[in-house]
Amino acid sequence: MEKRYYFFVLFFCTALLSACKKEDKISFDQPKREYDLAVEGGINTLTRSQFIKLSKPSLNPGVMPAAISTAVVIVNDSKSDIIFKETATPGLYMATNNHSPNYDKAYTLTITYNEKTYTAVDTLRQVINIVDDFLPLKVKINSRGSYDGTIPKHTFGYLNPNKWWINYTGIPVWSPSKFDGIQHYNYTHFLGSPNSLYPLNNLKRDFNLLSQDVITIYKFSLSKGYARYLYDVFLETDWNGLFSSVPVNAQGNVSGNAQGYFYVTDIDLRKYKAKEL
């Protein structure tokens, strides 16, 4: 009787371990929609060089998106065309913009690829100078005489939506041609925060600087359409918790069977010493 009991326990444990091993395998559902292309980048007022990246979205988590070459890329700023040319990096297109900013006007992107045309429109909103706005960070002096700072990734309830890039020792300067790697943006939203079930607590970065260390702050204006798009993206990524609702399925502004958001942004740039913040 005792042998039968041990045999039963051994059989049960073996079956349980076998079931656990099967559950260790992670499966990914195929995307419900296959896009022709994805658009990243846009027009900014800080640099003359402008960059737009085109790629073919991947359908496999182990495969990187493929670069899209030989496309015709043009942006019209409601006055004249800005012609983009593909760089030595496949899928990365660059243009030189010598035009003055056309505030509150539409900028229209037109992409021609594989005998199809895709368009996107965004409006250039003038940025409010950094000195006339609240900085989305906190800095205080510690007992050692250096400065401790905290930069939350998201803050809410601002009158105007903005994107920020704050760099100091260890954080690179902002570059419009940088699309890969870690992006050090943080955001001020005109919409309210998602409900308390979303995990917002750890979305921040901390730093420690000496009094004479320099912090460079870039502030980017956002159209309301782009701000809404980013908010929807974060509902699927940063704020996607255990009790989250059905995915938002963020919709960009590119027509046709494409994804992404073509943006235009006005930028203010300021430098401060840590003791000045």
Side-chain angles (χ1 to χ4, degrees), residues 24 33 51 61 69 76 93 100 119 126 151 160 176-177 185 205 223 228 233 255-256:
D24 286 342
R33 182 176 176 183
F51 294 88
S69 295
N76 184 281
Y93 295 78
S100 59
T119 61
Q126 187 168 12
I151 305 172
N160 296 298
S177 64
Y185 291 112
R205 55 186 163 105
S223 65
R228 176 76 251 190
V233 168
S255 70

Side-chain angles (χ1 to χ4, degrees), residues 9-231:
V9 171
L10 180 62
F11 175 80
F12 178 78
C13 290
T14 302
L16 183 62
L17 287 172
S18 176
C20 289
K21 288 180 180 178
K22 289 180 181 178
E23 291 177 358
D24 286 342
K25 295 180 179 179
I26 300 175
S27 61
F28 293 89
D29 293 334
Q30 283 290 105
K32 295 180 179 180
R33 182 176 176 183
E34 181 177 350
Y35 292 94
D36 295 335
L37 56 81
V39 177
E40 299 175 76
I43 299 290
N44 78 84
T45 61
L46 182 64
T47 65
R48 291 177 60 202
S49 297
Q50 312 293 330
F51 294 88
I52 291 175
K53 183 179 179 182
L54 303 181
S55 59
K56 174 71 175 179
S58 171
L59 297 178
N60 189 312
V63 178
M64 295 295 292
I68 287 182
S69 295
T70 69
V72 177
V73 181
I74 300 172
V75 172
N76 184 281
D77 64 2
S78 291
K79 292 181 180 178
S80 56
D81 288 342
I82 304 168
I83 309 297
F84 284 73
K85 298 293 183 183
E86 190 171 15
T87 66
T89 302
L92 183 63
Y93 295 78
M94 186 189 79
T96 300
N97 181 19
N98 295 315
H99 306 170
S100 59
N102 202 7
Y103 293 118
D104 299 320
K105 300 298 182 180
Y107 282 63
T108 303
L109 167 69
T110 302
I111 299 169
T112 304
Y113 176 67
N114 271 356
E115 300 182 348
K116 294 181 181 179
T117 299
Y118 309 85
T119 61
V121 179
D122 198 25
T123 302
L124 180 61
R125 182 176 68 83
Q126 187 168 12
V127 72
I128 298 173
N129 290 335
I130 290 172
V131 294
D132 296 326
D133 202 356
F134 296 101
L135 293 178
L137 58 86
K138 295 180 180 179
V139 180
K140 63 180 180 179
I141 190 170
N142 59 36
S143 59
R144 302 183 302 278
S146 60
Y147 290 78
D148 295 324
T150 299
I151 305 172
K153 186 173 181 182
H154 303 284
T155 50
F156 304 92
Y158 277 66
L159 184 61
N160 296 298
N162 290 102
K163 186 164 64 171
W164 306 71
W165 183 287
I166 302 173
N167 85 272
Y168 41 83
T169 302
I171 302 296
V173 298
W174 175 77
S175 171
S177 64
K178 183 178 176 63
F179 294 96
D180 301 320
I182 297 175
Q183 299 292 296
H184 298 279
Y185 291 112
N186 53 295
Y187 305 84
T188 47
H189 301 276
F190 73 99
L191 297 169
S193 64
N195 70 52
S196 59
L197 294 176
Y198 292 92
L200 295 172
N201 296 335
N202 295 321
L203 298 175
K204 62 183 178 66
R205 55 186 163 105
D206 300 317
F207 61 85
N208 177 263
L209 299 172
L210 300 177
S211 63
Q212 297 298 313
D213 289 341
V214 175
I215 292 181
T216 304
I217 301 178
Y218 303 80
K219 182 183 180 185
F220 305 79
S221 71
L222 304 178
S223 65
K224 285 195 174 182
Y226 189 31
R228 176 76 251 190
Y229 170 77
L230 290 173
Y231 195 88

Side-chain angles (χ1 to χ4, degrees), residues 33 35 229 232 248-253 260-261:
R33 182 176 176 183
Y35 292 94
Y229 170 77
D232 287 347
V248 176
N249 192 22
Q251 295 293 323
N253 65 344
Y261 202 102

